[in-house]
Amino acid sequence: MGRILLIDGNSILNRAFYGIMGNKMLMTEDGTYTNAVYGFLSILFKTEEELKPEYIVVAFDKKGPTKRHEMYKEYKANRKGMPEELACQMPIIKEILQAMNIKIIEKEGYEGDDIIGTLSRFGEKNGLEVTILSGDRDNFQLATDKITIEIPRTKAGKTETDYYDRKKVIEEYGLEPYQLIQVKGLMGDTSDNIPGVPGVGEKTAIALIKEYTDIDNLYKKIEVGEDTIKGKLREKLVENKELALLSRELGRININSPIEENLEEMKKDEWDKEKVLELFKKYRFNRYIERFSLQGEGTKPEEQNTNFEVKEISKEAELQSLIELLEKEEKIIYYLGIKEAKDKVEYIIKEQIVSISVFLNNTVYYYEFDENKEEFIKYFKTIFEEKELVGYELSRDYIMLKQIGITPKHFKFDVKIAAYLLNPVSSKYPLDGLSITYTGTDILEYLKKNGVKEEKEQLNLFEMNEEKSSNSKQKQQGIIYVYVISKLEKILQEKLTNEGSIELFNNIEMPLVEVLADMQYVGMKVDKEELVSYGEVLKGELEALTKEIHNLAGEEFNINSPKQLGEVLFDKLKLPYAKKTKSGYSTDVEVLEKIKNEHEIVSKILDYRAMAKLNSTYVEGLIPYINESDGKIHSYFHQTVTATGRISSTEPNLQNIPTRNEAGKKIRKAFKPSEDCIFLDADYSQIELRVLAHISGDEHMIEAFMKDEDIHKQAASKVLNVPIEEVTKEQRASAKAVNFGIVYGISDFGLAGQLGISRKEAKVYIDQYLEKYSGIKKFMDTIVEDAKEKGYVETLFNRRRQIPELKSSNYMVRQFGARAAMNTPIQGTAADIMKIAMIQVFKRLEEAGLKSKLVLQVHDELIIDTVIEEKEQVKEILKTSMEGAIKLKIPLKAELGEAKDWYEAK
């Protein structure tokens, strides 16, 4: 008996994109994403190997409305469009499947599920075992003794597969597979916008179908009074019978779709090997080229060459010989193996170095130190402090080395940062993904060949195995990682040079590594008792707000429960703009903002939510991050996250502490300078508008800055045709919204929302603004057209951002691309200027031998933990470094302040 494999193409491609390959944004030379395709093929090959099917079909959804849309126009109305990074991979997977001679079926008006449903019954009738490969549990309704559904999923970092035939469905749900259609009719499906019966969830729906078999019988019993259903549930069922029947039909997979059922065409056939090889080369799928010997039996693709020597050092004399070799080199290509440090309270990162791999003259030297840090320091301190260093994620290495007394000073090349500059929109740059994309070396394949199991979590670069066998994971990872780093350095350096970004990399991004790592290492002191005390104040205010809200509602209820809150606001208080969802009324911020003037209770609820978030996120949330040994928070500062080049902060995010309300700002009171120190704070004044004035060359904006006028008053004066001295506070606020909104490509809709005016009024205001500031309008129009032509935009320092969205067929995606094209040169240049200033401040503090330390960067603000005796010198360094970072057509301006805590610094 043969087997047919039916693959839900859209579902598996989505699964590969978001789950299995979600952290590997692989791409080709021209920036085409391929991670979903790579993951799809991985699933396909694994399934083929396990099942050995004689027939394979991949079903895809066809663009456009389906029969279900004819039944219910809101079907899938709440679905977000496919992201461009995934959409561009759809034609690629189809092209590869065609080269493999795998049958693809898509039918206008029908979904992939319908094709699969029809073919599953066809296969069963023809005596075949049927396997449906899909991430969609809706296919469970198709299960029989001969039809099995395979669901790939990621668990604890590993890809696992769940198998569902008729027996397994009955075991899990207590229902026959076909009865799940009845369940769907009652409970609906939020992902597909199938309404169901409001208020009926999965548990209730299953219980009802268990008792009444199907929806028809359920309503028959209700109509003749032979049911046992009571209260609100009965009311909901009676009121929404038509919805239940409609939802059942929407959820029912069509097993009689009009498709050609030609078994011979579905039969597995020989690949067009020449075409498959061409495509695999194009998309850099070297692992599959080797796996299927596409370049000839027993040969490897050229790019996959991992022909290098390995020398495992086990004796002191061998280690000494290695050090002598390294002392003759200008730069060191290395990788540090680490593991968790037990009971090391003084460590900032509670991990320690246990091994080192060095690549030199096509040889990997590997040595394990385990926990003997003294031995590591003895041999490698001079090397790390005097040599140029090449590695991966060097900021982490800085902390690891610094906390054992080694201060690296010459970071030369970080492959992660180089990859970020070449593709800043990814935000994830795992070494195994970079290796496949740029070198053709598949780390997974290497590890597999060397006895390391192919498990995703084993590619966590900083989670090391403690076993010390010659074939341990730690050793094999160290060997392949340092080899890949050596290859990536050459390839990425050449690419950066070709793109004109090498100076940005050498002069800004690489010097910044040490600055950000040192900021993390130094940290900011936090008064834990003050933070806890403020938390108690917030809890008291929350209790008071709770009582007020309950009094206004006339009853006690759980304010944190959207369901209970919705019933109070819309059923009891009868407030307008009620928006029902499957689980009850929507009570999100957008809804509450609309009705806050309708009843006093709403503003109290908004205050309650803001206060609760302050306490949970910024009081209770900060406390666990306070280091036990020094009483400081050591936040991570990242330079490979934002597409515009801005620095970000995590664990915790110190850049996101609220500043717009007094309650939020008070959290900053707990952040203190070190003993005998004060905070010196400097904030760039309107840096993005100054950059906009420079890049656009707009004469009015340049004039305002040169005269040191209030830029927002000037804008209001020009747009409204009133003397600048007569501009009101409200008029200035409106102009300010437009000034800053222009930088972010604000729309009339966005401005209308900000100012509380109509879209028509907002459009008139924007049009008048752009008429007066014609230089800005010209810049906006020109930059978008240039980006369409070139495919990217750049900052003044040649920071490049690809904007493929401008070529999208989706209007909303194109609009996003246009905003990104306008915003990136402004925000990106401002970010570059801030980075230059930080490097200068850090360098000058060190050169002057000062003890004061740069500890925080938040958007346009820098804070230095300043020794009081050094105050005047530090002030001069801070102000001149920031204002002299770059010479623009108009001057940069930094406003200084000093304070005894972070709250007073602003």
Side-chain angles (χ1 to χ4, degrees):
M1 186 182 292
R3 182 182 298 274
I4 184 168
L5 173 63
L6 304 173
I7 300 174
D8 184 342
N10 288 72
S11 173
I12 295 301
L13 200 66
N14 266 277
R15 183 81 191 93
F17 182 77
Y18 288 108
I20 295 164
M21 299 291 290
N23 71 331
K24 301 177 185 178
M25 294 306 283
L26 311 182
M27 62 167 51
T28 60
E29 297 286 326
D30 63 359
T32 302
Y33 289 103
T34 57
N35 62 319
V37 175
Y38 193 87
F40 184 106
L41 293 174
S42 176
I43 296 169
L44 170 63
F45 296 149
K46 182 173 182 287
T47 308
E48 272 194 276
E49 195 175 335
E50 290 172 354
L51 300 178
K52 298 180 171 51
E54 291 179 45
Y55 307 92
I56 301 179
V57 175
V58 182
F60 286 102
D61 295 341
K62 189 102 171 158
K63 276 188 178 180
T66 66
K67 300 294 182 184
R68 291 178 180 84
H69 289 97
E70 293 175 14
M71 285 189 269
Y72 183 57
K73 66 178 182 179
E74 298 301 314
Y75 178 65
K76 291 191 176 181
N78 56 357
R79 278 269 181 106
K80 289 183 180 177
M82 188 183 289
E84 198 66 23
E85 298 93 332
L86 175 56
C88 70
Q89 298 185 61
M90 188 65 77
I92 296 173
I93 189 62
K94 290 178 183 178
E95 185 181 22
I96 291 172
L97 291 172
Q98 285 166 352
M100 290 177 171
N101 289 315
I102 290 175
K103 179 72 173 176
I104 295 172
I105 301 180
E106 44 192 348
K107 183 78 175 174
E108 195 169 320
Y110 294 86
E111 296 181 43
D113 284 350
D114 299 323
I115 296 166
I116 285 171
T118 302
L119 290 178
S120 67
R121 294 293 187 260
F122 168 72
E124 189 177 38
K125 285 175 192 172
N126 280 272
L128 298 173
E129 294 284 345
V130 180
T131 298
I132 297 170
L133 181 62
S134 174
D136 190 350
R137 296 169 78 89
D138 285 347
N139 286 296
F140 289 178
Q141 63 183 266
L142 301 171
T144 68
D145 294 332
K146 297 281 188 182
I147 299 174
T148 303
I149 295 88
E150 289 195 9
I151 305 280
R153 61 187 175 88
T154 304
K155 183 181 178 182
K158 292 188 289 185
T159 300
E160 296 182 353
T161 305
D162 292 328
Y163 302 87
Y164 284 84
D165 56 8
R166 174 178 171 270
K167 185 179 176 183
K168 181 68 182 293
V169 170
I170 294 171
E171 182 185 313
E172 183 156 321
Y173 294 96
L175 296 169
E176 288 284 349
Y178 71 86
Q179 289 180 292
L180 295 179
I181 306 166
Q182 313 295 325
V183 171
K184 179 65 71 77
L186 294 176
M187 66 178 279
D189 185 343
T190 52
S191 66
D192 287 341
N193 205 35
I194 297 175
V197 176
V200 173
E202 184 180 44
K203 191 175 177 182
T204 303
I206 289 173
L208 288 169
I209 298 305
K210 277 183 180 178
E211 185 171 352
Y212 296 98
T213 307
D214 60 33
I215 288 175
D216 297 322
N217 190 49
L218 166 65
Y219 280 107
K220 183 179 176 184
K221 297 291 185 183
I222 289 174
E223 284 164 12
V224 298
E226 292 181 7
D227 64 300
T228 58
I229 305 165
K230 306 293 182 188
K232 280 190 175 181
L233 176 58
R234 195 174 198 279
E235 284 177 33
K236 287 173 181 174
L237 288 167
V238 171
E239 288 172 10
N240 295 283
K241 179 181 178 181
E242 286 186 13
L243 274 184
L245 296 173
L246 170 66
S247 299
R248 178 176 63 180
E249 291 315 302
L250 291 172
R252 189 194 301 274
I253 292 174
N254 187 336
I255 58 171
N256 295 298
S257 305
I259 55 175
E260 189 179 338
E261 297 168 339
N262 187 330
L263 200 58
E264 194 59 34
E265 286 187 5
M266 302 173 196
K267 195 163 189 176
K268 270 182 68 177
D269 202 351
E270 288 292 317
W271 292 1
D272 180 342
K273 287 194 174 183
E274 193 175 319
K275 181 64 175 174
V276 172
L277 175 61
E278 178 192 326
L279 291 171
F280 282 1
K281 279 184 173 180
K282 178 180 178 181
Y283 298 116
R284 304 191 71 88
F285 295 164
N286 301 91
R287 181 183 183 191
Y288 299 142
I289 293 174
E290 180 181 3
R291 178 172 173 176
F292 297 106
S293 301
L294 294 176
Q295 287 188 324
E297 206 65 42
T299 64
K300 295 182 179 181
E302 188 179 342
E303 297 94 329
Q304 179 69 4
N305 175 27
T306 50
N307 183 25
F308 55 89
E309 281 190 63
V310 177
K311 289 188 178 178
E312 186 174 0
I313 294 170
S314 57
K315 299 174 184 176
E316 191 172 350
E318 294 172 336
L319 184 57
Q320 186 58 51
S321 296
L322 171 61
I323 297 301
E324 288 171 8
L325 282 175
L326 296 179
E327 284 172 346
K328 297 173 185 175
E329 299 294 316
E330 285 186 17
K331 71 177 184 184
I332 308 298
I333 302 171
Y334 76 97
Y335 174 78
L336 298 177
I338 66 172
K339 72 174 184 182
E340 184 180 353
K342 296 173 183 175
D343 303 321
K344 299 289 183 181
V345 177
E346 74 273 15
Y347 282 10
I348 291 164
I349 296 178
K350 294 183 172 44
E351 291 163 321
Q352 64 192 80
I353 302 163
V354 292
S355 68
I356 184 168
S357 309
V358 178
F359 188 84
L360 183 63
N361 299 326
N362 205 43
T363 301
V364 173
Y365 295 86
Y366 178 79
Y367 188 72
E368 286 190 23
F369 290 88
D370 200 16
E371 296 185 20
N372 191 346
K373 71 176 183 181
E374 288 75 21
E375 187 180 17
F376 184 89
I377 294 167
K378 173 186 171 184
Y379 286 102
F380 285 95
K381 181 175 171 67
T382 303
I383 297 295
F384 276 101
E385 290 187 340
E386 294 183 359
K387 299 295 181 181
E388 293 179 346
L389 303 172
V390 176
Y392 175 85
E393 208 156 43
L394 296 177
S395 59
R396 189 178 178 98
D397 289 354
Y398 181 94
I399 304 287
M400 298 299 302
L401 293 163
K402 184 90 171 175
Q403 65 190 10
I404 61 170
I406 298 174
T407 304
K409 281 290 174 190
H410 308 286
F411 285 146
K412 178 71 174 174
F413 201 98
D414 187 325
V415 296
K416 183 175 184 180
I417 291 170
Y420 161 71
L421 283 186
L422 292 167
N423 176 29
V425 296
S426 175
S427 83
K428 293 178 180 177
Y429 307 91
L431 192 56
D432 54 324
L434 298 181
S435 182
I436 293 171
T437 299
Y438 291 107
T439 76
T441 300
D442 192 309
I443 289 176
L444 273 171
E445 193 70 20
Y446 177 91
L447 293 174
K448 186 179 178 183
K449 285 182 178 178
N450 286 275
V452 179
K453 290 181 182 178
E454 190 173 346
E455 295 177 356
K456 184 179 171 184
E457 77 270 19
Q458 289 182 332
L459 284 182
N460 180 338
L461 302 184
F462 304 106
E463 179 191 328
M464 291 299 172
N465 199 321
E466 290 188 31
E467 65 180 71
K468 295 183 67 177
S469 67
S470 60
N471 204 35
S472 70
K473 179 175 74 174
Q474 178 176 300
K475 173 188 169 184
Q476 295 304 328
Q477 283 180 323
I479 290 167
I480 190 62
Y481 289 162
V482 77
Y483 168 72
V484 164
I485 288 166
S486 73
K487 292 186 77 174
L488 283 169
E489 183 209 6
K490 293 175 185 175
I491 294 167
L492 300 182
Q493 178 133 6
E494 184 179 344
K495 288 184 177 298
L496 288 169
T497 302
N498 292 341
E499 280 199 2
S501 301
I502 194 68
E503 286 187 15
L504 170 68
F505 178 78
N506 288 334
N507 300 334
I508 297 179
E509 292 297 343
M510 283 313 301
L512 189 68
V513 173
E514 182 184 355
V515 178
L516 296 182
D518 196 71
M519 281 167 57
Q520 179 184 348
Y521 182 80
V522 173
M524 281 186 88
K525 201 163 191 67
V526 179
D527 188 326
K528 185 176 179 179
E529 288 183 12
E530 187 165 336
L531 205 54
V532 170
S533 177
Y534 185 52
E536 293 303 318
V537 171
L538 291 177
K539 285 175 186 173
E541 292 182 14
L542 280 169
E543 286 176 16
L545 277 169
T546 300
K547 286 178 183 176
E548 287 185 66
I549 291 167
H550 287 166
N551 287 336
L552 289 166
E555 65 175 271
E556 290 191 5
F557 67 98
N558 183 357
I559 302 168
N560 296 314
S561 164
K563 186 174 185 297
Q564 292 183 36
L565 178 59
E567 288 169 357
V568 167
L569 295 179
F570 302 111
D571 286 339
K572 184 172 183 180
L573 299 178
K574 306 294 182 187
L575 297 182
Y577 305 111
K579 188 169 83 175
K580 265 209 163 182
T581 66
K582 187 173 171 292
S583 56
Y585 293 102
S586 172
T587 59
D588 59 23
V589 174
E590 187 182 344
V591 170
L592 295 184
E593 285 290 344
K594 276 185 184 177
I595 60 173
K596 70 178 177 182
N597 296 323
E598 301 288 337
H599 197 289
E600 187 184 353
I601 194 172
V602 183
S603 59
K604 297 290 181 186
I605 290 163
L606 287 167
D607 289 345
Y608 175 91
R609 284 186 176 176
M611 206 70 69
K613 184 175 181 181
L614 278 180
N615 186 50
S616 63
T617 306
Y618 301 111
V619 176
E620 293 173 358
L622 288 175
I623 289 171
Y625 288 107
I626 300 173
N627 189 281
E628 298 169 43
S629 62
D630 61 9
K632 291 182 175 183
I633 281 179
H634 298 269
S635 177
Y636 287 78
F637 296 95
H638 304 282
Q639 60 191 111
T640 61
V641 173
T642 68
T644 57
R646 274 194 164 190
I647 296 162
S648 64
S649 160
T650 60
E651 299 183 55
N653 184 354
L654 295 183
Q655 297 181 335
N656 210 29
I657 294 175
T659 57
R660 291 187 180 181
N661 59 67
E662 187 62 19
K665 286 173 71 175
K666 281 182 179 175
I667 290 166
R668 294 183 169 203
K669 281 181 175 288
F671 288 79
K672 311 285 187 183
S674 302
E675 192 175 343
D676 299 323
C677 291
I678 58 167
F679 281 147
L680 281 184
D681 170 279
D683 200 351
Y684 271 125
S685 172
Q686 299 167 337
I687 186 170
E688 290 185 353
L689 289 178
R690 291 172 189 267
V691 170
L692 176 60
H694 174 84
I695 291 178
S696 68
D698 185 88
E699 57 181 346
H700 294 309
M701 193 169 268
I702 289 173
E703 178 190 23
F705 282 123
M706 293 304 290
K707 291 181 177 179
D708 206 20
E709 285 181 353
D710 184 320
I711 188 68
H712 307 310
K713 273 192 173 183
Q714 190 218 52
S717 171
K718 298 241 179 243
V719 173
L720 302 173
N721 290 314
V722 298
I724 196 165
E725 62 273 8
E726 292 179 22
V727 171
T728 66
K729 186 178 179 182
E730 291 74 21
Q731 289 170 335
R732 182 186 183 276
S734 297
K736 182 178 180 180
V738 179
N739 264 332
F740 284 119
I742 287 294
V743 178
Y744 293 91
I746 198 167
S747 64
D748 51 8
F749 178 80
L751 182 63
Q754 277 191 44
L755 301 182
I757 59 178
S758 70
R759 286 185 69 173
K760 187 176 179 182
E761 290 173 302
K763 186 177 187 311
V764 169
Y765 201 123
I766 291 172
D767 289 345
Q768 288 176 341
Y769 178 96
L770 293 175
E771 184 183 334
K772 299 292 182 182
Y773 292 86
S774 57
I776 292 174
K777 184 179 189 313
K778 185 179 179 184
F779 157 73
M780 291 168 66
D781 293 340
T782 303
I783 197 73
V784 173
E785 286 307 310
D786 285 351
K788 281 180 186 174
E789 185 180 331
K790 295 190 293 187
Y792 63 85
V793 291
E794 290 181 311
T795 70
L796 290 181
F797 297 91
N798 295 330
R799 180 182 300 280
R800 184 177 291 189
R801 177 180 178 177
Q802 301 287 337
I803 309 189
E805 293 88 352
L806 288 171
K807 295 178 181 176
S808 172
S809 57
N810 184 302
Y811 173 77
M812 296 304 292
V813 173
R814 288 199 307 277
Q815 287 300 101
F816 168 81
R819 289 195 297 275
M822 289 183 267
N823 167 242
T824 299
I826 308 302
Q827 195 180 99
T829 297
D832 290 338
I833 292 169
M834 173 56 86
K835 289 178 175 179
I836 292 168
M838 292 173 72
I839 293 163
Q840 286 299 315
V841 168
F842 182 82
K843 187 177 176 184
R844 289 176 65 187
L845 288 174
E846 277 205 333
E847 287 174 349
L850 302 180
K851 294 178 182 176
S852 301
K853 291 286 185 180
L854 185 60
V855 290
L856 186 63
Q857 182 270 338
V858 180
H859 308 312
D860 304 329
E861 172 191 12
L862 288 181
I863 294 179
I864 297 179
D865 193 5
T866 307
V867 177
I868 292 172
E869 290 79 12
E870 299 173 355
K871 184 176 77 171
E872 294 308 318
Q873 195 175 354
V874 173
K875 272 186 178 179
E876 191 273 333
I877 288 173
L878 187 54
K879 188 171 180 65
T880 56
S881 295
M882 289 181 73
E883 293 184 344
I886 184 178
K887 188 171 179 60
L888 300 175
K889 293 171 185 172
I890 36 90
L892 292 175
K893 188 176 179 182
E895 297 170 346
L896 267 64
E898 58 183 83
K900 293 181 181 177
D901 60 50
W902 188 13
Y903 173 83
E904 291 180 8
K906 288 288 287 179

